[in-house]
């Protein structure tokens, strides 16, 4: 159970004064994913990204231009615009050194009259400019009387906002949240950490960030932010370490196949395994055969042939008299896996079934699973629902890992006694990040692709030349080509994504008529499957899509990929999308349509993509390019997110956190005593309570 000390932090934001249901809705949107209710802690973790520094006070004549200054002045005269005039409302103020015009466009006149009474003294903050020979401040950000001045924050934090949420309202909510922040016992005890320069306490760090004393206080490399980033990384590493301990201690079982099914599968394949596939398979089989529990990651680029390795591994489990399960993040992918391997599995006499959330024969399949009449079950997360029981699950393969979390890994692992777990990533992960996300696993890598792949001709074109693209498409379609057309990613809203895709669908339909299909995330899954199948069967030749096709979709005949507004996609994502083509015999191309002018980073991304098709290299470059403000865990990276840590800045702390977590488990594995209690608080604060539960489970 969560320690009661933390209850105020996990209370809903509506428990704060001034936060009603309307504001709470906006806060939900701002600080939480997927619309769960914002809590006090979420507000505290919403850190400022900039500050407004109002410490510079100056006489008017001496005040610097083009930066925020605070002046003390007397109101001289008002110049309201004439009726129906669109001119601004101006107010002249002065001190003994000179005067300034305050300029207001479309502002409530009554407010101006009330705030700036003629003859009175006021403190005015804003950016001073020289315009037409006069000093002016357009829309001062503060107009204060003496009382207001006393309350003013000299260094004001600036927060990311969402539409409809005024900065002042957010600022007040966060200030109220700070009032609820208790002082917590220190959880760091390791010498290396204690030596970090001037590490403030958790609460002091949050206060320092939300009430900055100077602009430097909020810098990502400053002590407050470093402290919190380190806390988050430690919570994560500790949870991983606890999970690993739990899984490793859980009794394993030797699952030794005799190779009979595998041999049949191999002889039915139209190709030979690559050396990398053979090596990975040997590593997996060694784990299966050993009495301890397997927890292994199979890493490889799109199309590197992970699925067949997984199938052969599952065959080993079946040879040993047990069952295997393969779990994909979406139903579409589960179906594709099934379609891709059923033939080989059946050729080897394996009984394979697709089990999805809505299959009509679900009940029959469930009882077949429980009685062991199915050797290999393929499905989505529906496979780890409680109603699903296996007779003797030996191996669980989880595809496209980073859509799942530690939590799901555990749920599936709990499905059988001593289930070995093999995780397959959707894309290569930079070496430095493997530790972060898979710190608890052994790794097998497929660094090269099967032979015979043709390079994908990759080009970038400005959006204005879209006509050339459609012309090229009509020529290609005439020769039987199939093309994906991916529409822009709009971070804020899936609804806008969909609207963009629908609009493109409509314009392409005008040109290509019934040859065009559409899929997006808001469609009913039946409709989406139907559209996918029509494309796979060649009934449609252009498939307009949002990024739902990003992962794993496999139509070998598709050989053209058009990505619209490519500058909006992350590098890893572009690489994933491009990987949807180049899977068949025909020569493939990828057209990146971008909007001018192209920013530096977007330019660099497109350059790298044109230069290489090596997913591992792209992953490294992606990490390197991901700059300022782009935290891992955004939609772009598709990785599980950190709220406070930024791996580009705080990456070095990761190793330290990893070591501290190991040290903790070595010295205090049950998290007992004062330090143990404090560490539990840490795990709860960063919502790693699944790991906390393992402590009791033993
Ligand atoms: P991944 O899951 O890693 O993206 P897949 O397992 O889907 O890749 O493999 C991509 C394609 O390559 C499939 O059509 C598969 O049949 C084929 N393939 C796999 N291994 C080999 C190999 N050794 N030689 C030739 N083709 C292969
Ligand atoms: Mg795959």
């Amino acid at each position: 159970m969560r320690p009661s000390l933390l209850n105020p932090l996990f209370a809903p934001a509506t428990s704060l004064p001034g936060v009603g249901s309307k504001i709470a809705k906006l806060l939900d949107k701002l600080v939480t994913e997927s619309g769960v209710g914002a809590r006090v802690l979420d507000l505290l973790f919403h850190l400022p990204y900039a500050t407004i520094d109002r410490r510079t006070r100056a006489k008017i004549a001496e005040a610097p231009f083009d930066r925020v200054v605070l002046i003390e002045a007397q109101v001289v005269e008002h110049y309201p615009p004439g009726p129906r005039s669109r001119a601004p409302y101006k107010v002249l103020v002065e001190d003994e050194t000179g005067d300034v015009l305050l300029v207001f466009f479309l502002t409530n006149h009554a407010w101006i009259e009330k705030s700036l009474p003629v003859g009175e003294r006021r403190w005015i903050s804003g950016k001073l400019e020289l315009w037409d020979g006069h000093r002016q401040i357009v829309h001062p950000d503060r107009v204060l009387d003496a009382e207001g001045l006393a309350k003013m924050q000299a260094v004001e934090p600036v927060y990311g906002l969402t539409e409809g949420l005024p900065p002042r309202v957010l600022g007040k909510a966060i200030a109220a949240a700070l009032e609820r922040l208790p002082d917590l016992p220190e959880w760091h005890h390791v010498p290396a950490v204690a030596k970090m320069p001037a590490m403030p306490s958790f609460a002091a760090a949050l206060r320092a960030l939300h009430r900055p004393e100077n602009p430097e206080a909020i810098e990502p490399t400053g002590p407050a932010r470093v402290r919190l980033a380190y806390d988050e990384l430690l919570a994560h590493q500790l949870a991983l370490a606890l999970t690993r301990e739990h899984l490793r201690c859980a009794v394993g079982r030797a699952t030794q196949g005799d190779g009979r099914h595998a041999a049949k599968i191999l002889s039915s394949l139209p190709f030979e395994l690559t050396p990398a596939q053979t090596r990975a398979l040997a590593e997996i089989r060694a784990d299966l055969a050993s009495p301890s529990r397997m927890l292994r990651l199979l890493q490889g680029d799109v199309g590197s042939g992970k699925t067949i390795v997984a199938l052969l591994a599952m065959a080993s489990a079946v040879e040993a008299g047990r069952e295997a399960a393969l779990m994909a993040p979406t139903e579409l992918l589960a179906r594709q896996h099934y379609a891709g391997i059923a033939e080989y599995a059946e050729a080897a006499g394996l009984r394979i079934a697709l089990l999805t959330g809505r299959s009509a024969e679900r009940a029959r399949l469930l009882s077949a699973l429980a009685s062991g009449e199915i050797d290999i079950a393929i499905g989505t997360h529906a496979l780890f629902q409680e109603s699903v029981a296996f007779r003797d699950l030996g191996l669980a393969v989880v595809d496209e890992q980073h859509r799942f979390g530690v939590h799901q890994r555990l749920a599936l692992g709990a499905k059988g006694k001593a289930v070995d777990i093999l995780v397959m990533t959707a894309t290569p992960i930079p070496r430095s990040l493997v530790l972060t996300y898979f710190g608890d696993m052994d790794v097998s890598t497929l660094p090269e692709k099967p032979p015979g792949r043709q390079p994908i001709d990759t080009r970038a074109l400005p959006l204005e030349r879209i006509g050339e693209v459609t012309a090229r498409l009509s020529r290609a379609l005439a020769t039987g080509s199939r093309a994906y057309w991916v529409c822009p990613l709009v971070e804020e809203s899936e609804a806008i994504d969909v609207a963009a895709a629908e609009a493109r669908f409509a314009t392409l339909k005008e040109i290509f008529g019934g040859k065009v299909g559409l899929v997006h995330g808001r469609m009913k899954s039946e409709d989406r499957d139907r559209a996918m199948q029509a494309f796979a069967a060649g009934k449609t030749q252009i498939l307009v899509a949002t990024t739902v096709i990003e992962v794993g979709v496999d139509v070998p005949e598709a050989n053209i990929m058009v990505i619209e507004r490519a500058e909006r996609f992350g590098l890893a994502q572009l690489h994933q999308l491009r990987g949807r083509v180049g899977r068949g015999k025909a020569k493939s191309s990828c057209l990146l349509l971008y909007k001018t002018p192209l920013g530096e980073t977007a330019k660099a991304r497109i350059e790298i993509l044109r230069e290489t098709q090596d997913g591992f290299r792209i992953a490294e470059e992606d990490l390197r390019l991901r700059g300022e403000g782009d935290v891992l865990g955004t939609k772009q990276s598709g990785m599980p997110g950190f709220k406070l840590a930024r791996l580009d800045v705080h990456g070095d702390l990761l190793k330290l956190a990893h070591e501290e977590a190991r040290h903790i488990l070595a010295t205090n594995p049950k998290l007992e005593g004062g330090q143990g209690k404090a560490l539990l608080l840490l795990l709860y604060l960063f919502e790693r309570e699944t790991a906390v539960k393992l402590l009791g489970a033993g």
Side-chain angles (χ1 to χ4, degrees), residues 302-303 306-307 333 337 399-400 424-426 551-552 580 583:
V302 208
K306 297 180 290 277
T307 317
L333 287 169
H337 274 312
D399 188 17
E400 323 291 9
M424 302 196 285
T425 58
V551 182
R580 299 302 113 213
R583 311 189 136 217

Side-chain angles (χ1 to χ4, degrees), residues 271-274 277 301-308 450-451 453 554 583:
F271 49 75
E272 304 272 309
L273 294 188
T274 63
Q277 285 172 316
D301 202 354
V302 208
S304 60
K306 297 180 290 277
T307 317
I308 213 71
R453 296 283 161 85
D554 197 6
R583 311 189 136 217

Side-chain angles (χ1 to χ4, degrees), residues 187-241:
W187 40 78
H188 296 298
H189 290 270
V190 175
V193 179
K195 259 192 258 144
M196 292 203 310
M199 186 169 74
S201 73
F202 176 78
L206 279 173
R207 284 189 208 110
L209 290 164
H210 289 294
R211 294 182 192 141
E213 282 184 6
N214 48 49
E216 294 75 51
I218 69 155
E219 274 177 13
T221 49
R225 182 64 185 273
V226 165
R227 152 89 212 208
L228 296 180
Y230 186 71
D231 284 341
E232 182 168 41
L233 294 174
L234 179 63
H236 180 253
Q237 288 296 320
L238 190 57
L240 280 180

Side-chain angles (χ1 to χ4, degrees), residues 166 289 504 569 583 672:
R504 180 56 66 209
F569 292 87
R583 311 189 136 217
E672 286 155 337

Side-chain angles (χ1 to χ4, degrees), residues 15 101 120 135 162 197-198 222 236 253 309 364 402 406 457 516 550 560 593 619 626 643 682:
S15 70
L101 266 179
E120 300 272 316
R135 288 189 173 79
T162 187
H236 180 253
R253 228 166 89 185
V309 173
R364 193 184 63 75
H402 39 251
V406 176
D457 177 36
V516 193
E550 179 186 341
I560 300 176
L593 282 173
R626 231 180 250 154
K643 295 174 196 160
L682 173 72

Side-chain angles (χ1 to χ4, degrees), residues 65-66 128-136:
F65 288 108
D66 299 317
L128 187 67
E129 298 165 339
L130 193 61
W131 202 78
D132 212 9
H134 284 282
R135 288 189 173 79
Q136 68 170 34

